[in-house]
Amino acid sequence: MPVTSREVHLVARPVGEPAPEDFSLEEVTVDDPGPGQVLVRNQWMSVDPYMRGRMNDVKSYVPPYRLGEPMEGGAVGVVTASGSDEVPVGTTVLHAAGWREYALLPADAVRAVDASLAPVQAYLGVLGMVGLTAYAGLTEIAPVREGDVVFVSGAAGAVGSLAGQIARHLGASRVVGSAGGPEKRRRLLEEFGFDAAIDYREGDLESQLAEAAPDGVDVYFDNVGGDHLRAAIAAMRQHGRIALCGAVSQYNATEPAPGPDNLFLAVGKRLTLRGFIVGDHGHLMKEYAQRASGWIASGGLRAEETVVEGIDHAVRAFLDMMRGANTGKMLVRLAS
Ligand code: NAP
């Protein structure tokens, strides 16, 4: 039987910060799966900063969202009807058709996940791309060595909160984080095990970082860009490594943001600045999942979530995440 589903469409390309009017919630009928297809009832969907880039009509490493069509993004759900022997009814699957209650997909576009291993939404966070991003950044891109001082920006967010903890497991002697506001600063210190924490909204970033890392920084995991990258370059030690993961401070910018004006310091300090996209590092997933499971089991990796209920609040979840309302992974629960 066809099902009724609600889905979020992009209806206008945002200029600057997106507004609720740039999106619409549509009710649609989703057909039964044909041969080789599955119907998935989504339980959880992810909202992520990179989605802001897909709202622009520009060429990037992922294609732009199309106007008047449902947006896409990571989701986990259960197969409720199947035209595929490989993916039977009842299978919990991970896929890229979020922003909707039901998804009709080719069976080879979903990946079965083990729902007995962890709460299923973990596959959108610590046991998924988010965790792998932190791990790849600190192992392959800007490898942490025993005794290193590591600085993480966006440190109370999904990737950042894991990166700080993973840096410690990889041998960092001091881990410094920055996030917005006193409450996030407190949580970095008391809940995520950072040695020092900066509230970037309070005063000068460069002097705060100099105080938090008086001997300088060996590895900087950059989620924020802009002033954070500038301050990190100033604080880096000789042969320091910077993983350019994201630049969330610039995603709503309406003009090209200027680069750090102290980049020349990278020459004398022999720095490495390297960008990366997690999708290129899938080969690390097995190794990461094994290590992460061990860290989680021993209480050494805390995976925080901020949960918003219902597809009708999904746009708000995205907008709030971009403004910093989340600690850890921002998720939308669509069904139980
Ligand atoms: P997140 O950190 O959970 O959420 C976004 C955070 O950005 C907010 O909580 C907010 O925290 C912070 N923020 C917003 N505006 C800011 C500003 N002007 N200055 C400083 N911080 C600001 O998101 P996430 O999914 O973990 O992503 C973090 C970064 O990793 C993003 O840049 C994302 O694009 C990147 N990423 C890259 C890859 C890759 O493959 N390279 C993969 C995943 C994610 P505060 O309250 O602290 O401001």
Side-chain angles (χ1 to χ4, degrees):
M1 287 288 288
V3 293
T4 301
S5 172
R6 288 177 300 166
E7 55 188 38
V8 178
H9 291 196
L10 183 70
V11 294
R13 302 222 178 264
V15 178
E17 189 177 0
E21 307 76 65
D22 296 329
F23 309 89
S24 71
L25 185 62
E26 304 290 334
E27 194 168 289
V28 296
T29 302
V30 183
D31 287 335
D32 283 338
Q37 290 184 318
V38 290
L39 180 67
V40 181
R41 184 179 194 208
N42 284 337
Q43 295 170 304
W44 295 89
M45 58 164 267
S46 179
V47 289
D48 304 88
Y50 80 89
M51 292 170 171
R52 176 63 187 87
R54 295 192 69 180
M55 293 170 194
N56 299 333
D57 191 14
V58 292
K59 207 169 168 217
S60 180
Y61 63 96
V62 271
Y65 291 134
R66 283 201 281 247
L67 289 181
E69 291 190 18
M71 295 195 293
E72 292 159 3
V76 171
V78 175
V79 174
T80 54
S82 179
S84 159
D85 293 340
E86 277 85 60
V87 191
V89 168
T91 312
T92 300
V93 293
L94 173 69
H95 60 85
W99 292 100
R100 69 201 82 185
E101 291 174 309
Y102 282 88
L104 182 64
L105 290 160
D108 61 7
V110 306
R111 180 166 75 77
V113 293
D114 188 345
S116 67
L117 210 61
V120 294
Q121 72 274 21
Y123 294 99
L124 297 173
V126 63
L127 293 182
M129 289 299 188
V130 166
L132 184 63
T133 302
Y135 187 74
L138 295 172
T139 54
E140 284 194 344
I141 306 302
V144 175
R145 302 184 189 130
E146 200 63 39
D148 276 351
V149 176
V150 176
F151 173 43
V152 179
S153 58
V159 173
S161 61
L162 297 174
Q165 298 173 84
I166 291 171
R168 173 89 66 209
H169 288 295
L170 296 174
S173 62
R174 185 170 179 79
V175 185
V176 177
S178 86
E183 174 59 9
K184 286 193 177 180
R185 186 175 176 277
R186 183 193 67 74
R187 295 189 73 173
L188 292 186
L189 295 171
E190 293 176 14
E191 297 175 15
F192 295 114
F194 285 78
D195 298 294
I198 292 168
D199 172 2
Y200 70 83
R201 294 185 195 146
E202 277 298 317
D204 175 60
L205 197 54
E206 205 168 310
S207 57
Q208 287 199 78
L209 182 56
E211 200 176 311
D215 299 326
V217 170
D218 298 293
V219 168
Y220 172 46
F221 191 104
D222 189 17
N223 286 316
V224 169
D227 289 351
H228 274 82
L229 180 55
R230 185 185 192 286
I233 289 172
M236 293 311 283
R237 292 213 274 226
Q238 291 277 324
H239 300 287
R241 281 114 28 230
I242 298 181
L244 298 172
C245 176
V248 69
S249 67
Q250 299 170 357
Y251 293 173
N252 285 326
T254 50
E255 299 287 330
D261 63 7
N262 60 350
L263 192 57
F264 184 61
L265 288 178
V267 176
K269 294 188 184 197
R270 289 89 165 160
L271 303 184
T272 304
L273 290 81
R274 188 172 164 199
F276 72 107
I277 292 297
V278 62
D280 299 340
H281 298 270
H283 57 279
L284 285 177
M285 193 55 172
K286 201 169 158 210
E287 169 190 314
Y288 166 66
Q290 254 166 15
R291 296 184 83 177
S293 305
W295 294 330
I296 293 168
S298 66
L301 187 60
R302 183 182 174 126
E304 192 70 25
E305 293 167 353
T306 302
V307 175
V308 169
E309 301 286 342
I311 189 85
D312 35 353
H313 294 127
V315 168
R316 181 169 63 75
F318 172 76
L319 299 177
D320 285 354
M321 179 274 301
M322 292 296 288
R323 292 185 203 121
N326 61 309
T327 300
K329 180 78 193 101
M330 185 65 119
L331 291 164
V332 183
R333 183 171 17 217
L334 301 176
S336 47

